[in-house]
Amino acid sequence: MIVWLTRHLQTLIGSLGDLSRNSFSSILSISVIGIALALPGAMFAALENIHKFTAEFEHGAKISLFLAPEVSIMQAKDLQQSLAQHGDIKYVEIITPDQAMEEFKLRSGLKDALNSLSENPLPVVLLVYPEDKVARSPEKLAGLINELGKLEPVELSQFDLEWIKRLTALLELATRAVWVIAIILGLGVFLVIGNTIRLAIVNRQEEIRIIKLIGGTDAFVRRSFLYSGMLQGLFGGLLALLVIFLLFSFISKPASSLSSMYGIRFALDPLQLLPSLILTGSGALLGWLSARITVGVYLRQFEPGKQQL
Amino acid sequence: MLIEFSKVSKRYPEGHEALRNVSFVVDKGEMVFLTGHSGAGKSTLLRLVTLIEHATNGQVVVNGQNLGRLKRRTIPYFRRQIGMVFQDHKLLHNLSVFDNVALPLIVSGFHPRDLRRRVHAALDKVGLLNRDRAKPITLSGGEQQRVGIARAVVNRPSLLVADEPTGNLDSGLSDEIFDLFHDFNYHGVTVLVATHDLRHIKRLGKRSLTLADGYMTQQTDTAQP
């Protein structure tokens, strides 16, 4: 066990040494890997943020029920209480015509004109806040709105649903597109690492032949290439994290000032811990896998007997 | 016996017949020279012993193992029983002398604790203990070959195989190299050396096998010095 561990440690350190010795070409390939991983990583992070952003909206999702003019405040309060029992509804707020008028005066700036009205023309409004699980599903929300609209005293039930529907569909599409891009770029990373490993094998063919002559197994020869592929992928993944972090800190200020215009306090999140680990981990895994396949293909070409000794 | 060839032939894919119907035996603890003109098949014979090539016909047995039946993945373990010395040394020039000699031990998963001692013992034997940190390229040809020999014996193999180990060295240095082989043989290692330098056979008084055009033409008994 100790021998096994030391051997792996030696190989790991050896591969690190190889990387630093061929620093220019390793920096080059690590940069390519880093950029290729940063692109889908940043896109996923952006999607994640948009989801969070829309969730802020959905949290405040409310259905406005404009009641018929002849409905009294007492009747409206009864309705409020019976709606509060509804399973899909979190709570119901009531806005009396007087409250609505006060707010309207404040917001519209038409105070004097409104004061001249002899009678308040505004109806009673019930604000219905649906349960979160309903707010998140466009179908359930539509059903609820429809149901409330059919109630006797309700004249109009209003909810700006269409844009959330569209946004959800758009996000779905974007997520799939990002997956396609991620797969294509992952394949690119795979090929880049495969190619550097292939070059390393060709450069070290004499060494490989000698190691085989003195009794080195295929596994022994393979090991250093596997480590170097894995390390390249790992460093590429770390570089990608750095790129994403810089990118997000670059756009975080305009993003939060944009969201404040919508009245939402929103801070742009770069990748969380788990996605970061997944990103670097998949970089390392891609590197290892690519090296494994490349070495498998090329190693048999360097049997000692295949060329004159 | 340690090496046994029975009616062995080797034809290369391009059609060249390198060995024809060769039979001989090398006993445990023997030191045997393999001679003949260049192209007579000396290297091919050694390549069959070390499983770099497979025989086309006939049977090769080394250390009790029938080489025709050895599986590909067991070849590395077979090679660890043999120390190999090459005319062009085959050292790794990016590694130090120490690391070159340590390589067979590292490859076979030798315990790191005893590694240094083993490597120093091998280097001491060939008189290069003080050069262990040097790069092979800074050494003379004779010294490089001695590093190659240290690497071949660091595993304490039962068989030492050398292909023209003094091909590039002058006679004084060759004497040193052959004396080293002689010394290993004295300590129980079976040695098979291919050389066209007949002087050493006489000087050391050992048996010799002669190849000509792929045939084994002569097997002498122990020569009288």
Side-chain angles (χ1 to χ4, degrees), chain B residues 162-188:
Chain B
D163 190 5
E164 298 280 3
T166 60
N168 301 326
L169 303 177
D170 64 40
S171 62
L173 288 171
S174 327
D175 285 358
E176 280 179 29
I177 299 288
F178 275 99
D179 287 344
L180 269 173
F181 286 136
H182 192 218
D183 190 44
F184 289 126
N185 177 239
Y186 179 78
H187 288 97

Side-chain angles (χ1 to χ4, degrees), chain A residues 2-3 6-7 10 18 21 204 206-218 220 300 303-309, chain B residues 47 50 52-53 72-73 75-77 79-80 82 84 86 88 90-92 94 103-104 106-112 151 155:
Chain A
I2 290 170
V3 175
T6 344
R7 231 191 301 170
Q10 279 171 346
D18 285 342
R21 259 192 300 284
R204 289 168 61 187
E206 189 57 27
E207 185 182 337
I208 294 172
R209 284 205 180 88
I210 290 172
I211 285 174
K212 286 194 172 183
L213 273 178
I214 59 174
T217 56
D218 284 352
F220 181 89
R300 280 183 181 233
E303 288 297 315
K306 290 268 170 84
Q307 241 182 35
Q308 97 291 346
L309 279 167
Chain B
R47 286 156 74 93
T50 53
I52 295 166
E53 301 284 354
R72 197 191 108 85
R73 61 187 164 75
I75 291 175
Y77 304 97
R79 289 207 183 115
R80 290 175 195 173
I82 304 175
M84 289 182 229
F86 310 91
D88 59 353
K90 295 210 176 297
L91 301 178
L92 290 174
N94 55 339
L103 204 54
I106 294 169
V107 154
S108 58
F110 200 76
H111 201 293
R151 185 183 66 186
N155 242 348

Side-chain angles (χ1 to χ4, degrees), chain B residues 10-200:
Chain B
K10 173 66 189 178
R11 186 190 296 120
Y12 283 106
E14 57 268 35
H16 172 60
E17 192 102 19
L19 287 179
R20 305 169 203 248
N21 207 21
V22 170
S23 300
F24 71 92
V25 166
V26 174
D27 279 325
K28 209 170 158 68
E30 254 196 307
M31 178 164 179
V32 175
F33 285 100
L34 184 63
T35 66
H37 296 291
S38 54
K42 301 190 297 286
S43 293
T44 300
L45 192 150
L46 295 185
R47 286 156 74 93
L48 292 181
V49 171
T50 53
L51 259 184
I52 295 166
E53 301 284 354
H54 284 271
T56 318
N57 277 309
Q59 180 175 285
V60 181
V61 178
V62 177
N63 232 351
Q65 286 153 298
N66 184 340
L67 300 195
R69 299 223 187 102
L70 227 52
K71 295 222 167 59
R72 197 191 108 85
R73 61 187 164 75
T74 62
I75 291 175
Y77 304 97
F78 165 75
R79 289 207 183 115
R80 290 175 195 173
Q81 307 163 18
I82 304 175
M84 289 182 229
V85 178
F86 310 91
Q87 181 172 0
D88 59 353
H89 328 312
K90 295 210 176 297
L91 301 178
L92 290 174
H93 289 282
N94 55 339
L95 299 181
S96 68
V97 166
F98 182 95
D99 290 341
N100 264 287
V101 175
L103 204 54
L105 299 177
I106 294 169
V107 154
S108 58
F110 200 76
H111 201 293
R113 194 181 48 213
D114 305 325
L115 189 125
R116 179 165 297 274
R117 200 171 42 77
R118 272 297 248 322
V119 172
H120 279 155
L123 280 173
D124 192 28
K125 194 98 180 168
V126 299
L128 287 172
L129 190 51
N130 55 340
R131 306 301 303 273
D132 62 344
R133 284 165 190 279
K135 286 272 153 69
I137 204 79
T138 64
L139 303 180
S140 72
E143 286 172 323
Q144 288 190 30
Q145 189 55 287
R146 272 145 63 196
V147 175
I149 292 170
R151 185 183 66 186
V153 300
V154 75
N155 242 348
R156 297 188 184 151
S158 52
L159 174 63
L160 194 58
V161 171
D163 190 5
E164 298 280 3
T166 60
N168 301 326
L169 303 177
D170 64 40
S171 62
L173 288 171
S174 327
D175 285 358
E176 280 179 29
I177 299 288
F178 275 99
D179 287 344
L180 269 173
F181 286 136
H182 192 218
D183 190 44
F184 289 126
N185 177 239
Y186 179 78
H187 288 97
V189 181
T190 310
V191 181
L192 179 60
V193 191
T195 179
H196 59 269
D197 193 347
L198 302 173
R199 200 170 51 88
H200 298 289

Side-chain angles (χ1 to χ4, degrees), chain A residues 182-200:
Chain A
I183 288 168
I184 290 172
L185 288 173
L187 199 66
V189 169
F190 187 82
L191 294 176
V192 165
I193 294 176
N195 195 46
T196 37
I197 297 292
R198 187 187 63 83
L199 282 176

Side-chain angles (χ1 to χ4, degrees), chain A residues 7-212:
Chain A
R7 231 191 301 170
H8 276 264
L9 209 65
Q10 279 171 346
T11 324
L12 183 67
I13 292 165
S15 306
L16 271 173
D18 285 342
L19 279 185
S20 65
R21 259 192 300 284
N22 311 316
S23 50
F24 184 70
S25 67
S26 10
I27 287 173
L28 217 60
S29 73
I30 288 173
S31 311
V32 172
I33 296 162
I35 292 165
L37 289 176
L39 206 59
M43 285 172 163
F44 276 122
L47 280 179
E48 202 51 46
N49 277 292
I50 294 173
H51 269 299
K52 208 180 82 172
F53 187 69
T54 55
E56 292 284 327
F57 270 112
E58 282 160 10
H59 187 67
K62 58 190 178 204
I63 302 166
S64 311
L65 300 179
F66 296 91
L67 305 185
E70 68 275 10
V71 178
S72 70
I73 293 177
M74 281 306 286
Q75 285 170 309
K77 280 191 171 157
D78 286 346
L79 183 61
Q80 179 192 15
Q81 284 192 345
S82 70
L83 283 179
Q85 308 298 317
H86 195 291
D88 286 348
I89 293 169
K90 214 191 298 179
Y91 65 93
V92 182
E93 204 179 314
I94 191 162
I95 299 176
T96 62
D98 290 346
Q99 284 171 334
M101 181 55 88
E102 282 308 307
E103 199 177 327
F104 193 37
K105 279 178 186 167
L106 274 176
R107 288 250 180 126
S108 64
L110 298 172
K111 199 174 174 188
D112 294 337
L114 291 170
N115 277 338
S116 66
L117 287 173
S118 58
E119 173 183 335
N120 187 344
L122 296 174
V124 182
V125 177
L126 292 180
L127 293 180
V128 176
Y129 292 85
E131 288 286 352
D132 286 345
K133 64 176 185 339
V134 178
R136 255 183 256 115
S137 145
E139 293 87 34
K140 282 186 186 166
L141 203 52
L144 183 64
I145 292 162
N146 203 15
E147 186 187 331
L148 296 176
K150 283 183 186 138
L151 291 173
E152 180 83 32
V154 176
E155 200 166 76
L156 179 68
S157 95
Q158 199 182 55
F159 185 80
D160 197 0
L161 187 71
E162 280 309 305
W163 78 271
I164 282 201
K165 250 186 181 165
R166 283 195 205 116
L167 188 68
T168 312
L170 206 64
L171 281 179
E172 181 72 18
L173 182 70
T175 309
R176 296 220 174 170
V178 171
W179 268 111
V180 171
I181 291 169
I183 288 168
I184 290 172
L185 288 173
L187 199 66
V189 169
F190 187 82
L191 294 176
V192 165
I193 294 176
N195 195 46
T196 37
I197 297 292
R198 187 187 63 83
L199 282 176
I201 293 173
V202 172
N203 282 337
R204 289 168 61 187
Q205 49 179 305
E206 189 57 27
E207 185 182 337
I208 294 172
R209 284 205 180 88
I210 290 172
I211 285 174
K212 286 194 172 183

